[in-house]
Amino acid sequence: QYVDVAELNRAAEALERDETLIEAITEAIAAGKSKQVDIAAYCKEKYGLNHKQVGRVLIKYSRPPLRKWKREKGFANNAWLHELT
């Protein structure tokens, strides 16, 4: 079976690079924030993180195999809702 070692290394480096964002987002979701806008505001207020960075990481780690939270489209105002997995 073929194992793409370079891809595994890139994934590990990305995970390490995103670790601060992941921790901040996890903390926000645990604090009861579920909408992407609320999570981004929480991360900006507590950690000074950019909303574009937060949005990128929310999308990236809502998909397998790196899934850390579930992401679904809400009905009101097309909001994206998140919950920890």
Side-chain angles (χ1 to χ4, degrees):
Q1 181 175 342
Y2 175 75
V3 176
D4 189 350
V5 176
E7 179 62 31
L8 291 175
N9 289 339
R10 280 192 297 273
E13 288 171 5
L15 187 61
E16 187 176 316
R17 186 174 55 247
D18 294 336
E19 190 62 37
T20 302
L21 283 156
I22 292 169
E23 289 175 8
I25 291 168
T26 303
E27 182 181 312
I29 295 171
K33 311 296 183 195
S34 64
K35 290 199 290 189
Q36 181 169 330
V37 168
D38 295 338
I39 293 168
Y42 181 93
C43 292
K44 181 175 179 76
E45 180 183 316
K46 296 251 326 190
Y47 300 99
L49 299 172
N50 183 320
H51 72 90
K52 288 184 180 183
Q53 293 173 315
V54 172
R56 177 185 59 80
V57 170
L58 278 169
I59 292 168
K60 183 176 182 177
Y61 294 98
S62 66
R63 299 179 184 141
L66 302 172
R67 176 176 260 180
K68 300 204 177 289
W69 40 76
K70 189 170 92 173
R71 173 182 169 95
E72 60 184 33
K73 192 75 162 170
F75 294 111
N77 301 322
N78 290 323
W80 282 106
L81 304 175
H82 301 82
E83 64 183 50
L84 296 174
T85 54

